[in-house]
Amino acid sequence: MSLANSGIMYLMAKSILVANWKNHPSSIDEVRILLSQMAKKGVLYKKLSLFIAPPLPYFESVKTRAKTFSSLASQDIFVAPGASSYTSQVTPDILKSFGVKLSIIGHSERRALGESSVDVSKKVRAAISAGIIALVCVGESSRDKDGLYYETLRDQIKASLADLNDKKDVAKVMVAYEPVWAIGKGAEAIDPTDLSQSVIFIRKVLTDMFGRELAQKVSILYGGSVDASNAPTLVEKTGIKGFLVGRASLKAKDFRPIAEALIAK
Ligand code: PGA
């Protein structure tokens, strides 16, 4: 196993917590405050694999101020369609040069902008080729009582992971189950029983695609309105390996109890 691969495997062995800052905080001064508050609990965060995915202009600040207790992550990855120049885009090589260890790929807010599962599958391959963990987001927009949303989930997983060159690369992929209806302001996190069923279903789809042994290596995270109040129950009662957190990752006092819930597992 190469050194890069063993580093990835090490990061995937512990409980996983991913802070998806999206387009926040609104200034670099707020970033500095948030990071210095988080650093006070650095010892706690080191007990898990914490990834921080900030807006790109904050990369250097996060890299410098949070390097002792977290790894840098990106909220997307760009795959150039050809050898040319692409104003505004950031390639896997650039991310890699910053020490990015994980890329969030196919977040529902990017899919809403037109990103398809085919695009996602190319990005997954690009991330893995660059030695970056691909955190693939999947999730239904709404639920129906007949359970047809499971079909959506299956289709998304199959199409998003269709482009893996080598099936063994599935061990460098994580899946974030993020039902769209559970994300963002005003939404509520999923019921733990429903989450358990979705985790079992996702594992079954992965098993059908890659076989049991490889499918077991894929960490399944949950995202969508995770906060201090629901994190302990979601950790305890479902088969998840960690969380992808939006709003609650923007305040140190809201984020810390989520980490504690994962550590207590
Ligand atoms: P939320 O966002 O925690 O604010 O619901 C999660 C996400 O979009 O990844």
Side-chain angles (χ1 to χ4, degrees):
M1 195 188 297
S2 74
L3 256 185
N5 276 351
S6 64
I8 285 184
M9 295 310 160
Y10 174 74
L11 286 171
M12 289 164 96
K14 299 195 237 175
S15 291
I16 292 152
L17 182 55
V18 184
N20 179 11
W21 285 4
K22 305 190 180 182
N23 50 317
H24 310 288
S26 51
S27 73
I28 185 67
D29 290 343
E30 288 170 70
V31 170
R32 289 187 188 123
I33 293 168
L34 173 57
L35 291 172
S36 73
Q37 288 170 344
M38 286 178 74
K40 289 185 189 142
K41 295 289 169 191
V43 176
L44 173 86
Y45 290 122
K46 276 200 253 184
K47 293 185 181 159
L48 27 89
S49 288
L50 170 63
F51 298 88
I52 302 177
L56 293 171
Y58 301 150
F59 260 32
E60 187 65 42
S61 195
V62 172
K63 187 173 144 72
T64 316
R65 289 161 193 265
K67 69 166 177 278
T68 57
F69 60 91
S70 72
S71 302
L72 196 56
S74 66
Q75 299 175 12
D76 187 27
I77 198 163
F78 174 66
V79 184
S84 189
S85 296
Y86 299 92
T87 298
S88 89
Q89 298 296 353
V90 177
T91 58
D93 284 347
I94 299 174
L95 297 178
K96 191 86 183 119
S97 75
F98 269 91
V100 164
K101 296 281 188 297
L102 174 147
S103 288
I104 301 170
I105 301 177
H107 189 280
S108 60
E109 287 158 11
R110 290 213 42 87
R111 291 183 190 258
L113 291 173
E115 186 162 290
S116 69
S117 290
V118 173
D119 299 327
V120 171
S121 70
K122 291 184 182 138
K123 292 182 174 193
V124 168
R125 200 170 75 181
I128 290 172
S129 305
I132 294 172
I133 299 167
L135 175 59
V136 182
C137 301
V138 294
E140 74 282 357
S141 306
S142 58
R143 290 203 155 191
D144 55 284
K145 61 177 176 10
D146 298 324
L148 290 176
Y149 59 88
Y150 279 125
E151 297 299 317
T152 313
L153 209 48
R154 175 189 286 120
D155 292 349
Q156 271 186 359
I157 297 167
K158 286 196 157 176
S160 299
L161 299 181
D163 223 13
L164 290 179
N165 269 349
D166 180 344
K167 284 210 156 98
K168 290 202 189 73
D169 283 344
V170 76
K172 297 165 199 160
V173 168
M174 297 187 204
V175 173
Y177 173 55
E178 291 214 311
V180 182
W181 51 265
I183 295 175
K185 210 169 170 203
E188 272 182 37
I190 195 169
D191 175 85
T193 312
D194 290 344
L195 177 54
S196 298
Q197 284 168 0
S198 294
V199 171
I200 292 167
F201 181 78
I202 292 168
R203 189 78 68 199
K204 163 95 178 62
V205 174
L206 294 170
T207 303
D208 290 346
M209 290 178 78
F210 305 109
R212 200 178 133 74
E213 200 185 321
L214 286 175
Q216 288 300 333
K217 295 189 173 157
V218 180
S219 300
I220 301 175
L221 316 190
Y222 170 74
S225 299
V226 176
D227 61 20
S229 66
N230 56 38
T233 316
L234 292 174
V235 168
E236 201 186 310
K237 302 222 161 119
T238 68
I240 52 143
K241 175 89 183 216
F243 292 122
L244 174 55
V245 183
R247 283 158 296 158
S249 69
L250 294 166
K251 287 209 175 100
K253 71 170 181 18
D254 295 341
F255 197 49
R256 180 181 38 78
I258 299 174
E260 282 167 345
L262 281 169
I263 291 162
K265 191 164 123 179

Coordinates of all heavy atoms in Angstrom, one line a residue, residues 20 22 107 109 178 182-184 223-226 244-248, ligand 1:
N20 N -19.3 21.2 6.4 CA -19.6 21.8 5.1 C -20.0 23.3 5.3 O -21.1 23.6 5.6 CB -20.7 21.1 4.4 CG -21.0 21.6 3.0 OD1 -20.3 22.5 2.5 ND2 -22.1 21.2 2.5
K22 N -20.2 25.6 3.3 CA -20.9 26.2 2.1 C -20.3 27.6 1.8 O -19.1 27.7 1.7 CB -22.4 26.2 2.4 CG -22.9 24.8 2.7 CD -24.4 24.8 2.8 CE -24.9 23.4 3.2 NZ -26.3 23.2 3.2
H107 N -23.1 17.3 -4.0 CA -24.0 17.8 -3.0 C -25.3 18.2 -3.7 O -25.3 18.7 -4.8 CB -23.4 19.0 -2.3 CG -24.2 19.4 -1.1 ND1 -25.3 20.2 -1.2 CD2 -24.0 19.2 0.2 CE1 -25.8 20.5 0.0 NE2 -25.0 19.8 0.9
E109 N -27.1 20.7 -3.4 CA -27.1 22.1 -3.8 C -26.4 22.3 -5.1 O -26.6 23.2 -5.9 CB -26.6 23.0 -2.7 CG -27.6 23.1 -1.6 CD -27.1 23.5 -0.2 OE1 -25.9 24.0 -0.2 OE2 -27.8 23.4 0.7
E178 N -27.9 12.2 2.3 CA -28.5 13.5 2.6 C -29.8 13.7 1.9 O -29.9 14.3 0.8 CB -27.5 14.6 2.1 CG -26.2 14.7 2.9 CD -25.7 16.1 3.0 OE1 -25.7 16.9 2.0 OE2 -25.4 16.6 4.1
A182 N -34.4 17.1 4.3 CA -33.9 17.3 5.7 C -32.8 18.4 5.8 O -32.3 18.6 6.9 CB -33.3 16.0 6.2
I183 N -32.4 19.0 4.7 CA -31.3 19.9 4.7 C -31.8 21.3 4.8 O -32.7 21.7 4.2 CB -30.5 19.8 3.3 CG1 -29.8 18.4 3.2 CG2 -29.4 20.9 3.2 CD1 -29.1 18.2 1.9
G184 N -31.0 22.1 5.6 CA -31.2 23.6 5.6 C -32.2 24.1 6.6 O -32.9 23.3 7.3
G223 N -26.2 13.4 6.6 CA -26.3 14.9 6.6 C -27.7 15.4 6.5 O -28.5 14.8 5.7
G224 N -28.0 16.4 7.1 CA -29.3 17.1 7.0 C -29.8 17.4 8.4 O -30.2 16.6 9.2
S225 N -29.6 18.7 8.8 CA -30.1 19.2 10.1 C -29.5 18.5 11.3 O -30.2 18.3 12.3 CB -31.6 19.2 10.1 OG -32.1 20.0 9.1
V226 N -28.3 18.0 11.2 CA -27.7 17.4 12.3 C -27.3 18.5 13.3 O -26.8 19.6 12.9 CB -26.4 16.6 11.9 CG1 -25.7 16.1 13.2 CG2 -26.7 15.5 11.0
L244 N -22.1 14.7 8.0 CA -21.8 15.9 7.2 C -22.7 17.0 7.6 O -23.9 16.9 7.6 CB -22.1 15.5 5.7 CG -22.0 16.6 4.6 CD1 -20.6 17.3 4.7 CD2 -22.2 16.1 3.2
V245 N -22.1 18.0 8.2 CA -22.9 19.1 8.9 C -22.7 20.4 8.2 O -21.6 20.9 8.0 CB -22.3 19.2 10.4 CG1 -23.2 20.1 11.2 CG2 -22.4 17.8 11.0
G246 N -23.9 21.1 8.0 CA -23.9 22.4 7.5 C -23.9 23.5 8.6 O -22.9 23.8 9.2
R247 N -25.2 23.9 8.8 CA -25.3 25.1 9.7 C -24.6 24.9 11.1 O -24.0 25.8 11.6 CB -26.9 25.3 10.0 CG -27.6 26.0 8.9 CD -29.0 25.7 8.9 NE -29.3 24.3 8.7 CZ -30.4 23.7 9.1 NH1 -31.3 24.3 9.7 NH2 -30.6 22.4 8.9
A248 N -24.8 23.7 11.7 CA -24.2 23.5 13.0 C -22.7 23.5 13.1 O -22.1 23.4 14.1 CB -24.8 22.3 13.7
Ligands
PGA1 P1 -27.5 21.4 7.2 O1 -26.8 21.1 5.9 O2 -26.7 20.6 8.3 O3 -27.5 22.9 7.4 O4 -28.9 20.8 7.1 C1 -26.2 19.8 5.6 C2 -25.6 19.8 4.2 O5 -26.2 20.5 3.3 O6 -24.6 19.2 3.9

